[in-house]
Amino acid sequence: MTEQFPFIAETSSLPLLSSMCRVRRGENFRVQGKTVSRPMLCLILQGDGVLVLNDTAYTAQAGSLFVLNPGTTIEAAARSNVTECILLSMDTVCLQQVRGEWKMTSSPAFPLDWETGRLLVRHEQQAVLRLEQLYETYRGLQPDHFISIHSQLHELLQFLSENRLEANHEKVDPALERSIMYMRRYMSEGISMDQLAKIAGLTPSSYSRSFKKAKGMSPTDYLNRLRINEAKKQLTEESCILKDVAVSVGYGNEYYFSRKFKQTLGIAPSVYMKRDQLRVATASIMGFHENLASLGLRPVAVLEGVLDRESDEYEQERRLTRQFDQLRQAKPDLIIGDFYHKPYYDRLKSIAPTIILESTDDWKENHIRIAELVGREKQALLNFKELEFRKLEASLNLQPYFGQKRLALMEVTNQFIRLQGTGEHPLNHLLYAELGLQPAQLVSPESSRNEYVADSIPVLDTDYLLIHRASLQPVSEKVFRRMKQTASWNRSPAVLYGNVHDISNWQRLCWTPSGRLQILNELEQIAQQSVVFPQAGLIGH
């Protein structure tokens, strides 16, 4: 079963084609602050770049299809020399039967329940072909022109609805979507699994299995998330009453609601209501304090409690004790910690309510989660948007310098030489996927990094070698000198041609918006220095 336009129901929506245009623009094409007045589809035919819809940034490339609801604000910037797209705008007519007669009114809404953003579809090329055929019909002058274009529009929307994909690329099941619409509409009431399964036309066990496969969670957990998300909106409103919020989202018991809310978000709803006024501390080696700074909030205390196996344990314990004392004196209302600080959870919790964020390879997930805890989600989206445009600018600046040359990253510690791999990691994704730089294959693609003693490093077969000096202590300098005496170092193309450069701790910087901006700046500085001083890196042979 698929989404249908219910032409015989008491109230029906009929989409009509308003206009279509094919837009082709050249180098440095940009759009700033345009607002959509009608429901639209945007298909990218050629080129790539950044498309920002209501402050949410997307990567736009050939074949990408986007839904634009009325009121959507658009910003865009092209990376390619030529950008081409088809824009299709619609009017939605509502037909309502009143006392046996049909009345027609216009509606600004999209004819189907699709949210603004990227629309993933199976058979992408067929979708492109259908849109191009509709455009050719729209431009034509055939006698049945009017009937043909609206018929093709309905067929196109039906095709897209039948082939929509979830974020995990599973096919959208309209039966499950109907049950989700029911959840949204009646979340304030009691909803049973049997009801939802009946709406989807499945047995309860089949419904539960299908739902979990499509959405990655059980129907009960999904309903709970919908309720908590609605509660979050209400809790930010002035003069809201906790008991009333609990009832309005389907939790008759205020205490049960508070327990479910805290299980989901990590903080009680009473704390969430004043989240933008909290005194916040961090316990993190992943730069959570810098995430807060990017959101315009200065932490009252910063704890970095993870022990370094290469440093003196006694001195580290003293430093940790000192940081805990400072944390107590700061009297925070909330402590946000990374998963490395789970062993300290009980100690942290004795000072203030503590949330330990789960491990993830997605730095954006961390940033938006921190933003939500302190009431600065909009600033997080603005940070993402700024970074996307800055990244596009940097990729254009870096391409003439790096081209197809190979890049390798190294860290020098007091004991080891660490070579960065190409496994799943935010830094690798930034350098090689987002900026399009080419990695040197010095370690296994499945590894994030490998460690070596100084005199047994592999051949540094790379055109550019970027080195982070984790320590400037004499023992670290000794490790560095020993490495520079090896044949693997002296035969490296990067060393021979002077393309060896010092960098900051990119492993850490890549987890925050400000850190990623610093990485982009350092890469551009390396490019500029190599133009001014060809064959002379920052580190001598």
Side-chain angles (χ1 to χ4, degrees):
M1 237 179 136
T2 59
E3 296 159 284
Q4 302 283 343
F5 302 114
F7 297 119
I8 342 177
E10 290 186 0
T11 302
S12 306
S13 294
L14 178 66
L16 298 175
L17 183 60
S18 174
S19 66
M20 286 190 80
C21 61
R22 191 166 185 149
V23 179
R24 184 182 174 92
R25 295 290 184 269
E27 196 173 358
N28 301 321
F29 170 56
R30 293 200 68 146
V31 176
Q32 292 183 319
K34 296 281 187 181
T35 302
V36 173
S37 58
R38 288 190 176 99
M40 295 182 70
L41 292 175
C42 173
L43 172 68
I44 310 298
L45 294 173
Q46 185 179 354
D48 68 291
V50 176
L51 178 63
V52 179
L53 306 176
N54 295 335
D55 290 331
T56 299
Y58 300 89
T59 299
Q61 54 193 7
S64 299
L65 180 62
F66 295 91
V67 173
L68 311 177
N69 279 290
T72 298
T73 301
I74 303 173
E75 294 179 68
R79 177 183 289 108
S80 51
N81 292 331
V82 176
T83 302
E84 189 174 10
C85 65
I86 290 178
L87 296 174
L88 181 160
S89 65
M90 290 170 272
D91 286 315
T92 303
V93 174
C94 290
L95 302 173
Q96 189 173 19
Q97 195 173 36
V98 180
R99 298 192 184 109
E101 295 184 1
W102 287 98
K103 293 190 175 181
M104 184 171 65
T105 57
S106 62
S107 167
F110 202 89
L112 293 166
D113 187 26
W114 297 346
E115 295 182 355
T116 291
R118 175 86 187 269
L119 184 66
L120 297 174
V121 293
R122 292 188 305 172
H123 314 304
E124 190 177 87
Q125 289 305 314
Q126 286 190 40
V128 172
L129 182 61
R130 284 171 180 262
L131 263 160
E132 289 184 316
Q133 287 174 343
L134 178 56
Y135 175 70
E136 291 304 319
T137 304
Y138 174 79
R139 294 177 65 230
L141 300 172
Q142 299 88 343
D144 61 348
H145 178 69
F146 180 83
I147 297 174
S148 179
I149 60 172
H150 295 299
S151 175
Q152 283 188 46
L153 173 63
H154 298 164
E155 290 174 3
L156 169 68
L157 294 176
Q158 194 66 41
F159 173 83
L160 296 176
S161 70
E162 290 173 354
N163 290 280
R164 282 197 305 141
L165 297 176
E166 303 278 2
N168 62 2
H169 293 276
E170 289 284 342
K171 185 181 181 300
V172 170
D173 188 335
L176 298 183
E177 293 297 300
R178 286 198 302 273
S179 72
I180 290 171
M181 289 177 67
Y182 184 87
M183 289 182 194
R184 289 197 181 105
R185 185 174 298 177
Y186 298 107
M187 69 170 68
S188 62
E189 303 175 12
I191 298 177
S192 69
M193 182 72 71
D194 288 344
Q195 280 178 296
L196 296 173
K198 186 176 180 180
I199 290 166
L202 299 169
T203 64
S205 58
S206 296
Y207 174 72
S208 184
R209 283 195 304 271
S210 300
F211 197 101
K212 189 162 188 177
K213 183 178 180 183
K215 301 297 183 181
M217 64 182 76
S218 70
T220 303
D221 289 342
Y222 193 91
L223 175 59
N224 181 64
R225 190 177 74 173
L226 288 178
R227 285 171 164 162
I228 296 299
N229 285 341
E230 177 58 29
K232 282 157 51 179
K233 295 176 188 175
Q234 295 186 29
L235 289 171
T236 58
E237 298 173 0
E238 290 186 15
S239 305
C240 73
I241 299 172
L242 203 56
K243 183 178 180 180
D244 293 344
V245 174
V247 171
S248 72
V249 297
Y251 296 106
N253 186 311
E254 176 185 342
Y255 301 102
Y256 180 65
F257 164 64
S258 294
R259 184 158 62 86
K260 296 300 291 184
F261 192 95
K262 189 170 183 179
Q263 283 177 357
T264 305
L265 265 77
I267 57 176
S270 56
V271 176
Y272 187 86
M273 290 169 71
K274 56 180 182 181
R275 60 197 175 124
D276 58 346
Q277 305 164 32
L278 298 177
R279 292 165 48 81
V280 182
T282 62
S284 166
I285 62 168
M286 300 173 67
F288 282 6
H289 62 289
E290 293 171 3
N291 277 288
L292 287 176
S294 295
L295 297 167
L297 183 65
R298 182 178 178 181
V300 297
V302 176
L303 183 141
E304 296 177 300
V306 178
L307 299 179
D308 183 351
R309 59 193 173 98
E310 294 188 17
S311 300
D312 178 79
E313 287 189 26
Y314 175 73
E315 184 55 40
Q316 288 189 81
E317 284 293 345
R318 285 185 59 190
R319 180 177 59 83
L320 182 59
T321 300
R322 186 167 60 251
Q323 288 184 3
F324 264 103
D325 288 341
Q326 292 169 348
L327 187 60
R328 289 188 190 91
Q329 292 169 11
K331 297 181 180 179
D333 301 312
L334 178 69
I335 301 171
I336 305 175
D338 62 23
F339 66 95
Y340 291 107
H341 285 72
K342 272 189 176 180
Y344 302 108
Y345 176 72
D346 289 337
R347 291 177 68 180
L348 294 168
K349 190 175 64 169
S350 69
I351 298 172
T354 299
I355 297 174
I356 301 293
L357 302 191
E358 294 299 320
S359 172
T360 175
D361 286 327
D362 186 350
W363 75 274
K364 286 187 176 180
E365 187 178 320
N366 272 345
H367 190 60
I368 199 70
R369 182 80 171 91
I370 292 169
E372 182 184 15
L373 291 171
V374 297
R376 287 167 168 80
E377 297 95 326
K378 186 172 183 180
Q379 182 59 52
L381 292 178
L382 291 174
N383 290 340
F384 295 152
K385 180 176 73 171
E386 177 192 358
L387 188 57
E388 286 298 324
F389 284 121
R390 178 68 183 91
K391 189 171 59 184
L392 185 145
E393 178 187 23
S395 67
L396 294 174
N397 293 338
L398 295 172
Q399 195 58 38
Y401 171 66
F402 287 107
Q404 296 301 308
K405 302 293 185 179
R406 298 160 300 165
L407 188 78
L409 274 62
M410 174 187 289
E411 183 178 49
V412 181
T413 74
N414 288 340
Q415 296 182 25
F416 300 105
I417 302 296
R418 293 178 179 142
L419 290 173
Q420 176 84 5
T422 55
E424 192 64 31
H425 191 278
L427 178 56
N428 293 337
H429 194 265
L430 172 64
L431 296 177
Y432 308 127
E434 299 177 57
L435 293 176
L437 305 179
Q438 300 301 312
Q441 299 298 325
L442 299 183
V443 295
S444 168
E446 287 76 32
S447 302
S448 59
R449 64 181 180 181
N450 285 2
E451 287 185 346
Y452 304 90
V453 294
D455 50 10
S456 65
I457 60 171
V459 175
L460 301 175
D461 187 16
T462 181
D463 301 300
Y464 297 95
L465 182 60
L466 309 183
I467 301 180
H468 166 57
R469 309 286 290 279
S471 169
L472 295 179
Q473 295 178 7
V475 63
S476 175
E477 287 295 323
K478 185 177 179 181
V479 170
F480 188 45
R481 286 197 302 270
R482 282 172 54 197
M483 177 187 65
K484 290 171 67 177
Q485 294 170 0
T486 65
S488 296
W489 170 270
N490 288 293
R491 292 176 182 173
S492 169
V495 174
L496 292 173
Y497 291 101
N499 290 323
V500 181
H501 300 270
D502 255 330
I503 60 172
S504 303
N505 187 352
W506 289 5
Q507 280 269 352
R508 177 168 177 165
L509 290 173
C510 68
W511 291 97
T512 69
S514 58
R516 293 171 85 85
L517 288 172
Q518 184 175 334
I519 291 172
L520 297 179
N521 291 338
E522 289 189 30
L523 279 167
E524 288 184 333
Q525 287 170 10
I526 289 170
Q528 291 166 5
Q529 288 160 353
S530 297
V531 171
V532 176
F533 304 107
Q535 299 194 12
L538 298 183
I539 301 177
H541 291 213

